Amino acid sequence: LSGYWRGEATLCAVDGYVAMKLFPRTPLMEHLKSIGLLPETFVQKWFAGVCIHHLRYKQLMPFLDHFFQHGNAFLFAFFTSFFNEFHDDVQAMASTTQANELVRFDKAPIPRLEIIIQNAAQLAGSMLLGVDLQGLRVECFETFLTRRMQSANEGMWQKADDEIEFSDEDEDDE
């Protein structure tokens, strides 16, 4: 989780896009995007927050045990297991509100969350085998976040430039 919260949660957002790319059912990920559920809106709770504020203690303890055993691989496996378990539910959703209720676990039945945690624990050991994680991170950053961040920074610098008055620009000094 190193770097997830350096100023902004950029690496966490990148890992959300990596998780989407690793998910074997691409049409479901496209559906999520089409209803406006982007990974940076929910993976912070799962990845950076390791579900601490969202799972009940009975589910949280095994989640954390598996996370400490497998590290980031468990988080990616949890993402995959979650969307495998709720594939049909998500596919039937037509709004971001419905999807947000599910990914925040408000509408996720506890027995299904327990199945997801068990499945993720089994998947975690092989989740990243043969995967160039750093290469995927670079690819996802460049594909999904670079342009948005550049636009945001340009807007910030434009505003900052408009407010700065340099001493050599001050007509009263002459």
Side-chain angles (χ1 to χ4, degrees):
L1 303 181
S2 177
Y4 267 7
W5 288 103
R6 284 211 175 125
E8 296 179 5
T10 305
L11 181 56
C12 189
V14 168
D15 276 357
Y17 283 103
V18 168
M20 283 184 125
K21 194 161 184 72
L22 292 172
F23 187 76
R25 297 177 174 181
T26 303
L28 183 64
M29 296 297 103
E30 292 304 317
H31 177 67
L32 283 178
K33 291 180 202 173
S34 76
I35 62 172
L37 189 69
L38 301 175
E40 59 266 38
T41 63
F42 67 93
V43 297
Q44 290 178 10
K45 296 164 183 62
W46 293 4
F47 288 14
V50 287
C51 295
I52 287 175
H53 297 289
H54 301 283
L55 287 173
R56 295 179 180 186
Y57 288 122
K58 186 176 179 192
Q59 291 76 42
L60 180 61
M61 293 304 118
F63 180 96
L64 291 174
D65 286 343
H66 297 304
F67 168 71
F68 290 127
Q69 181 180 358
H70 298 287
N72 276 26
F74 178 74
L75 299 176
F76 289 116
F78 181 81
F79 183 100
T80 295
S81 297
F82 183 89
F83 286 108
N84 276 334
E85 177 67 26
F86 286 109
H87 178 274
D88 295 338
D89 305 71
V90 172
Q91 200 64 45
M93 292 177 179
S95 74
T96 307
T97 303
Q98 292 173 307
N100 272 322
E101 289 174 337
L102 183 64
V103 298
R104 286 191 316 252
F105 311 144
D106 297 341
K107 301 283 182 171
I110 291 171
R112 290 179 77 181
L113 288 172
E114 290 172 345
I115 291 168
I116 291 164
I117 293 166
Q118 290 170 3
N119 290 343
Q122 292 173 355
L123 180 61
S126 62
M127 184 73 204
L128 297 177
L129 289 179
V131 172
D132 176 9
L133 184 58
Q134 185 59 28
L136 274 176
R137 283 175 167 159
V138 169
E139 177 187 334
C140 288
F141 178 77
E142 290 174 352
T143 303
F144 299 107
L145 296 173
T146 300
R147 190 170 295 131
R148 270 194 280 164
M149 291 180 75
Q150 182 178 1
S151 296
N153 285 334
E154 286 172 358
M156 179 183 71
W157 285 112
Q158 180 62 43
K159 182 178 179 184
D161 286 345
D162 291 344
E163 296 172 359
I164 297 173
E165 185 175 308
F166 295 98
S167 61
D168 62 345
E169 295 174 343
D170 189 8
E171 295 177 18
D172 295 337
D173 288 346
E174 294 179 8

